[in-house]
């Protein structure tokens, strides 16, 4: 598992990670892992909501390419957007707002409200950041953590 494919919960008690097309959870104090979900594609670039109840990710698997999140409370996979082009960094701004980037002239920084299911373009233009987005404490700034190949 590489750095893009695991996340530590905000309370530092659990680790969430991807193995093939499955999402797993391990308690820090335990050596056993629990499977959370089996997906029809291979996810990457995990992001964990602040309350730890949702995991967002992207996939570039041809049939499913896009942004998704898995709601661990309702045991539900939700497609945020299905794209044939690349989708970049994904992250939670708070418990109900997911942010992701897209390349190209029609791209930009997008926001998805998990409650209303409304997609809003925050910034127009060719914004494409692979990796994970992280917000500062007051959520006024976004940073991207990127690993170089």
């Amino acid at each position: 598992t590489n750095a893009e494919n695991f996340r530590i919960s905000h309370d530092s008690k659990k680790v969430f990670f991807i193995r093939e097309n499955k999402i797993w959870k391990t308690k820090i104090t335990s050596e056993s892992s629990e499977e959370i979900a089996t997906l029809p594609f291979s996810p990457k670039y995990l992001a964990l909501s602040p309350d730890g109840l949702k995991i967002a990710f992207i996939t570039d698997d041809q049939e499913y390419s896009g942004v998704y999140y898995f709601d661990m409370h309702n045991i539900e996979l939700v497609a945020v957007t299905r794209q044939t082009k690349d989708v970049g960094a994904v992250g939670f701004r708070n418990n109900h707002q997911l942010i992701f980037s897209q390349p190209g002239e029609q791209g930009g920084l997008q926001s998805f409200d998990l409650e209303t299911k409304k997609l809003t373009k925050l910034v127009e233009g060719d914004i494409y950041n692979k990796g994970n987005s992280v917000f500062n404490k007051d959520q006024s700034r976004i940073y991207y953590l990127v690993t170089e190949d």
Side-chain angles (χ1 to χ4, degrees):
T1 298
N2 58 27
E4 297 93 9
N5 293 332
F6 79 91
R7 286 289 160 262
I8 298 172
S9 64
H10 295 280
D11 63 6
S12 300
K13 294 182 179 180
K14 296 176 226 93
V15 176
F16 296 86
F17 62 95
I18 298 168
R19 186 177 300 143
E20 297 173 1
N21 66 330
K22 297 179 181 187
I23 301 174
W24 296 80
K25 172 178 73 174
T26 299
K27 290 183 181 176
I28 300 286
T29 58
S30 169
E31 292 184 19
S32 63
S33 296
E34 172 187 347
E35 182 184 327
I36 294 173
T38 299
L39 304 172
F41 51 78
S42 297
K44 60 184 180 179
Y45 300 120
L46 281 183
L48 186 63
S49 63
D51 63 8
L53 295 177
K54 296 172 190 72
I55 299 175
F57 39 83
I58 66 171
T59 184
D60 53 11
D61 286 8
Q62 190 171 7
E63 187 178 343
Y64 296 97
S65 184
V67 178
Y68 296 81
Y69 72 90
F70 187 79
D71 184 330
M72 291 181 276
H73 179 72
N74 295 318
I75 317 299
E76 175 185 24
L77 178 64
V78 178
V80 173
T81 182
R82 302 273 305 266
Q83 302 290 332
T84 55
K85 60 184 179 179
D86 290 332
V87 176
V90 62
F92 284 93
R93 186 170 190 177
N94 48 47
N95 287 324
H96 64 272
Q97 189 178 26
L98 183 63
I99 306 289
F100 62 95
S101 64
Q102 292 181 282
E105 290 179 21
Q106 301 301 313
L109 195 61
Q110 307 273 350
S111 170
F112 181 75
D113 187 306
L114 279 64
E115 294 171 359
T116 65
K117 309 292 188 222
K118 182 179 177 188
L119 187 63
T120 305
K121 188 174 283 193
L122 300 175
V123 177
E124 299 264 348
D126 190 8
I127 295 177
Y128 185 60
N129 296 292
K130 281 198 168 191
N132 296 92
S133 53
V134 178
F135 289 87
N136 63 345
K137 285 195 180 233
D138 71 0
Q139 296 155 357
S140 62
R141 295 178 186 262
I142 187 171
Y143 302 92
Y144 291 97
L145 304 177
V146 180
T147 55
E148 299 282 329
D149 289 336

